[in-house]
Amino acid sequence: MTSTFYVTTPIYYVNDVPHIGHAYTTVAADVLARYRRLRGFQVHFLTGTDEHGQKMQRAAEAQGITPLEMADRNSASFRELWAKMDISYDDFIRTTEPRHEQGVAALFRRLAEAGDIYLGQYEDWYCVPDETYYTELQLKDGKCPMCRRPVEKVKEESYFFRMSKYQDRLLRHLQDHPEFLQPESRRNEIISFVASGLRDLSISRISFAWGIPAPDNPRHVIYVWLDALANYITALGYPDPKAEPFQTFWPSAVHLIGKDILRHHAVYWPCFLMSAGLPLPKAIFAHGWWTHEGEKMSKSLGNFVDPHDVIDRYGLDPFRYFLLREVPFGLDGDFSEAALRQRINSDLANDLGNLLSRTAGMVFKYRDGIVPASGPIEPLDRELRELAEETLTKVDQAFSLFAFNRALELTWALINKTNKYVDSSAPWSLAKDPAKKERLGTVLYSIAESLRLTALLIQPFMPDAANRMWEQLGIPEPLERLDWKEAGRWGALPPGTRLRKGPALFPRLE
Ligand code: ME8
């Protein structure tokens, strides 16, 4: 039976165009999706846009257009960026689509049938930029504790969701399933939040109209976070109980999010699901935040990193690589051009690019471009092979821990070992001695084989570079369609493979 894997990104607000933060979560999800596909999983990768709510209504008013016009425009700009970034999503959901609106209304009904919705009066604070309710006590210096922007007093009739009812069940789930919420620090944060007591949650508003109407009482629009979170199941066909994608994929769901939206995903969402009688996602991973040259990115500073600009100047693969290599997933990090250039020149051009061109150069010079067969193995060769095999195993473990930077560190340890192997085995001296012909064959084969496995390992991160390596290595079947059981082992490169000359994998920056 094939294992399934369902990975999601947050659905992004359409009041503005995408920036590096959006690109980050989406690339991480893409890397997971690609890795699982490579390993033979049946994968479903969902992203999309979050288009309702007060913030969207106000942003559209400020731009003098309708919320839907704004959503159409900016949802398209997300899609354009994902195309440019080679994001391999299987589905893109917009919360203004009928399939979603119907699903949300059905979910709302389901919560009501469970006896978990009642009508009341909300009187407290609201942060419009975060679309989040806060109590007086939660505010910091009278401002939003999350984004530090001004909050507004809201006093209006509202439907409430009995979140308090699920407090104990949620706490138990968090305690019993360490993988449910990662990293550990975030899990602890949410455990203490839940343990301190959950209040019922306002789940509708009446003071604006841009949202999904509450069933049976269209004066109310459904709270935008209930609307948005539901995308993860409406996209799979909820509420149709027989929807095939829902049955197949929901049990394996992994939500990647930024730490800013932890509470919504780790508290509200599981409570809604429990009320609806649905299983909880398998894992939620909250990553850290990027700053730019040491500063928080904000509209007022106008210092958002524009992914288009970085890609146009440095290329897509280096950008994808940098995002996941520079900072451990889960921690905050800083984007700086100097750091990006450094990674390009040292890791990509020097370590990896040079290894490929050196190898190809030697195979052409000594064997007319044809990968020789390996002869008897010496300790030096065995060491390289063992490291390669160990790397495949350890990278797999790193992936199951969302440790992207670790997966890349391990891969680079193999690249560096291969570079050292070239130096120690000195093919150029072997080539001078006709008696060492077989030995030279073993060495060249080992280097080429190590590079082939390296191409597999980098494929999820840098699909284009991996394909170019693959082509230069002369392997006919496309990398994306290989069978891991066959290809993911040392020795799968057939001797006699004819390398192809190609341009430098990563040219050095001056
Ligand atoms: O919150 N560094 O949408 P959003 C890293 N619509 N990641 C960042 C970042 C930064 N500086 N800034 C943003 C929403 N992100 C809701 C989500 S989901 C049901 C609804 C990333 O457009 C990060 O993943 O504000 C964060 O969670 C997401 O963008 C927020 O995107």
Side-chain angles (χ1 to χ4, degrees), residues 366-367 426-441:
Y366 306 135
R367 290 294 158 92
W428 42 89
S429 326
L430 299 175
K432 287 187 194 133
D433 182 351
K436 300 268 171 65
K437 188 162 185 251
E438 193 180 39
R439 177 72 199 135
L440 178 61

Side-chain angles (χ1 to χ4, degrees), residues 159-466:
Y159 282 108
F160 283 83
F161 170 68
R162 286 188 210 284
M163 201 152 70
S164 51
K165 182 171 148 188
Y166 295 97
Q167 175 179 326
D168 296 339
R169 255 178 82 186
L170 178 58
L171 199 55
R172 241 176 294 127
H173 191 83
L174 283 160
Q175 282 158 345
D176 294 349
H177 299 86
E179 76 290 355
F180 175 66
L181 184 53
Q182 302 178 56
E184 183 69 22
S185 56
R186 300 291 166 207
R187 176 167 167 256
N188 295 335
E189 187 183 320
I190 290 296
I191 286 180
S192 58
F193 177 75
V194 177
S196 74
L198 291 183
R199 298 155 51 93
D200 290 349
L201 182 72
S202 161
I203 50 161
S204 73
R205 299 287 307 273
I206 54 168
S207 49
F208 62 91
W210 180 237
I212 302 173
D216 311 322
N217 191 353
R219 218 160 57 86
H220 287 251
V221 296
I222 296 176
Y223 176 38
V224 65
W225 269 103
L226 171 53
D227 170 342
L229 287 160
N231 91 88
Y232 301 132
I233 56 175
T234 59
L236 296 180
Y238 180 86
D240 175 4
K242 289 193 282 308
E244 189 274 320
F246 186 80
Q247 295 296 331
T248 307
F249 291 110
W250 181 244
S252 64
V254 170
H255 300 316
L256 298 189
I257 58 169
K259 64 178 184 180
D260 51 320
I261 53 176
L262 180 63
R263 200 171 288 180
H264 312 81
H265 282 81
V267 181
Y268 306 173
W269 181 225
C271 290
F272 296 150
L273 288 166
M274 287 189 271
S275 171
L278 296 172
L280 305 192
K282 198 160 183 177
I284 301 169
F285 193 105
H287 65 66
W289 263 41
W290 287 93
T291 51
H292 182 198
E293 309 280 352
E295 291 211 66
K296 192 177 153 126
M297 289 181 280
S298 74
K299 266 205 172 140
S300 47
L301 290 174
N303 63 342
F304 281 106
V305 178
D306 174 6
H308 288 281
D309 175 55
V310 182
I311 296 164
D312 293 344
R313 288 192 299 136
Y314 295 103
L316 175 59
D317 280 333
F319 182 46
R320 291 175 57 114
Y321 173 76
F322 181 83
L323 289 175
L324 293 175
R325 174 64 187 84
E326 190 67 3
V327 181
F329 206 56
L331 300 185
D332 292 341
D334 185 52
F335 183 89
S336 81
E337 223 155 295
L340 172 62
R341 299 178 69 93
Q342 165 74 24
R343 289 270 173 216
I344 293 175
N345 278 342
S346 82
D347 303 6
L348 300 181
N350 214 35
D351 299 345
L352 177 58
N354 276 353
L355 177 61
L356 179 66
S357 55
R358 270 170 112 185
T359 306
M362 292 186 295
V363 176
F364 274 99
K365 189 159 169 200
Y366 306 135
R367 290 294 158 92
D368 295 326
I370 293 172
V371 178
S374 175
I377 298 291
E378 294 186 4
L380 197 62
D381 319 323
R382 186 168 312 115
E383 233 179 74
L384 180 64
R385 176 187 174 146
E386 281 171 3
L387 183 73
E389 287 168 342
E390 197 183 301
T391 305
L392 294 174
T393 311
K394 286 191 174 163
V395 163
D396 194 52
Q397 289 159 355
F399 265 104
S400 57
L401 299 170
F402 302 90
F404 302 101
N405 74 314
R406 182 81 193 121
L408 288 169
E409 271 169 19
L410 289 160
T411 305
W412 255 256
L414 175 63
I415 293 168
N416 291 332
K417 175 85 182 177
T418 312
N419 271 314
K420 288 207 190 86
Y421 173 88
V422 175
D423 297 339
S424 336
S425 58
W428 42 89
S429 326
L430 299 175
K432 287 187 194 133
D433 182 351
K436 300 268 171 65
K437 188 162 185 251
E438 193 180 39
R439 177 72 199 135
L440 178 61
T442 306
V443 167
L444 293 179
Y445 183 85
S446 300
I447 306 168
E449 182 57 340
S450 177
L451 271 171
R452 187 186 66 85
L453 292 173
T454 300
L456 282 190
L457 291 168
I458 67 163
Q459 192 275 344
F461 297 92
M462 298 187 280
D464 182 54

Side-chain angles (χ1 to χ4, degrees), residues 35-79:
Y35 181 70
R36 291 291 159 215
R37 284 191 202 107
L38 207 56
R39 297 300 307 255
F41 283 65
Q42 191 188 346
V43 171
H44 194 71
F45 170 14
L46 174 71
T47 188
T49 42
D50 188 356
E51 308 187 356
H52 291 129
Q54 197 167 19
K55 162 155 130 164
M56 296 309 118
Q57 180 165 326
R58 282 191 191 167
E61 276 161 12
Q63 295 171 33
I65 51 178
T66 68
L68 193 58
E69 278 167 345
M70 183 184 74
D72 285 344
R73 192 179 293 170
N74 288 329
S75 185
S77 73
F78 278 93
R79 278 187 203 251

Side-chain angles (χ1 to χ4, degrees), residues 460-471:
F461 297 92
M462 298 187 280
D464 182 54
N467 276 330
R468 289 188 293 129
M469 281 180 77
W470 208 243
E471 269 168 40

